[in-house]
Amino acid sequence: MLDQALQMPETISAVLLSADGLLMAHSQGITVEDAERTAAAVSGLQSLARATGEFCRQPPEQWRQTLIEFDGGFVFLTSAGQGAYVAVSTTGRVDIEGVSSRLQELVQRLGQELTAPPRFPAEGPGNPA
C-alpha cells in the first residue's frame, strides 16, 4: 500500500508509523533500520506540529499535514487515521500538490486499515484499571 503512494515521479520512500513513533510498515526503498529511525523522528514532528495549532486558532486534533523542505527534497507527514501517520520523502523536483493529493487519496481509500489504536492494556480480571 505504501508503494502505491510512491507511484509518482520523484518520490523516494514512505513509512507508516504509530503516534508513539513505532514503525508499522515501510516501502521497499528504505531499510528497516532507516524506517525505524524515520518513524521515531517524524513522530516528534507531528507532536510539535499539533502543538502549533493554537497559533492558527485551531485545536490540535485539526492538524492534517506537515511539509518539511530541504535543499534537495521534501518530507510530507500526513495524518492517516487515529494514531497513525504516513511520511513520504521526495526529491526537490516533485509535484508538491500531486504528492499531497495522492497521500490524501490513500488515507481516504484505506480508512480503517491505517488506524493504530492506543496501546493500553485492556481492562479486565487480569488487567485492572
Side-chain angles (χ1 to χ4, degrees), residues 2-3 6 11-15 26-32 34-35 89:
L2 291 178
D3 290 320
L6 300 177
T11 56
I12 301 169
S13 300
V15 296
H26 63 90
S27 64
Q28 293 179 6
I30 187 171
T31 66
V32 172
D34 287 344
S89 62

Side-chain angles (χ1 to χ4, degrees), residues 2 13-17 23-27 30-31 34-36 38-39 42 77 85-89:
L2 291 178
S13 300
V15 296
L16 175 65
L17 61 135
L23 178 66
M24 297 168 67
H26 63 90
S27 64
I30 187 171
T31 66
D34 287 344
E36 287 175 341
T38 298
V42 297
L77 177 59
Y85 307 95
V86 175
V88 172
S89 62

Side-chain angles (χ1 to χ4, degrees), residues 68-125:
I68 305 164
E69 181 178 4
F70 297 93
D71 286 341
F74 299 92
V75 174
F76 294 78
L77 177 59
T78 302
S79 176
Q82 181 182 344
Y85 307 95
V86 175
V88 172
S89 62
T90 72
T91 70
R93 298 179 304 275
V94 75
D95 173 4
I96 294 172
E97 289 182 32
V99 171
S100 185
S101 293
R102 174 72 59 96
L103 286 173
Q104 293 304 317
E105 289 171 9
L106 179 65
V107 167
Q108 289 177 7
R109 191 173 67 234
L110 297 176
Q112 295 294 356
E113 291 182 41
L114 291 180
T115 300
R119 295 179 307 152
F120 296 105
E123 289 184 38

Side-chain angles (χ1 to χ4, degrees), residues 6-67:
L6 300 177
Q7 292 178 346
M8 290 189 67
E10 306 300 328
T11 56
I12 301 169
S13 300
V15 296
L16 175 65
L17 61 135
S18 64
D20 55 0
L22 294 178
L23 178 66
M24 297 168 67
H26 63 90
S27 64
Q28 293 179 6
I30 187 171
T31 66
V32 172
E33 294 80 16
D34 287 344
E36 287 175 341
R37 186 173 52 253
T38 298
V42 297
S43 172
L45 290 172
Q46 68 79 24
S47 180
L48 290 170
R50 284 179 185 281
T52 61
E54 197 172 292
F55 186 57
C56 295
R57 297 191 175 131
Q58 298 293 311
E61 59 274 4
Q62 296 297 315
W63 172 84
R64 292 186 186 163
Q65 181 172 293
T66 296
L67 176 64

